[in-house]
Amino acid sequence: MRPYKIPESVLVVIHTSDMQVLLIERADKTGYWQSVTGSKDLPDEPLLTTATRELFEETGIVADGKNIVLRDWGLSNIYEIYPVWRHRYAPGITHNTEHVFSVE
């Protein structure tokens, strides 16, 4: 059995200097497009680490902090987890907190 997902995640908006945004199509849901997202692997994992890992896993882009820098917007969104996905979380977990990052 897989461990429960941690209800804290990141959203990474990838954009150009003229604000064109890269969206990726979900492999498990054709026609559904989104920015990079992903949950923490460990409760104490720093959000920047989560964002860096998810950016690389989903795009191959390495945020090295010099040439490619992730920006923490200091913004969080709390949303209800769709009932169809709640089995991935510990019993009683109904909401996720998503922290916003971007990279140019």
Side-chain angles (χ1 to χ4, degrees), residues 28-81:
D28 63 349
K29 194 165 188 179
T30 303
Y32 185 82
W33 296 81
Q34 67 178 56
S35 292
V36 169
T37 61
S39 297
K40 287 179 156 188
D41 279 349
L42 301 168
D44 62 346
E45 180 178 59
L47 292 169
L48 182 60
T49 301
T50 307
T52 301
R53 183 188 70 251
E54 292 296 336
L55 179 65
F56 177 73
E57 287 178 358
E58 296 188 20
T59 68
I61 296 171
V62 177
D64 61 8
K66 295 177 185 173
N67 298 311
I68 299 176
V69 179
L70 278 162
R71 175 179 169 232
D72 182 347
W73 289 22
L75 174 68
S76 299
N77 301 301
I78 298 173
Y79 62 86
E80 187 173 357
I81 301 164

Side-chain angles (χ1 to χ4, degrees), residues 7-11 22 24 49 66 74 77 84 88-89 91 98:
E8 192 168 12
S9 63
V10 297
L11 165 72
L22 175 68
I24 54 177
T49 301
K66 295 177 185 173
N77 301 301
V84 70
R88 295 179 172 185
Y89 298 85
E98 182 177 72

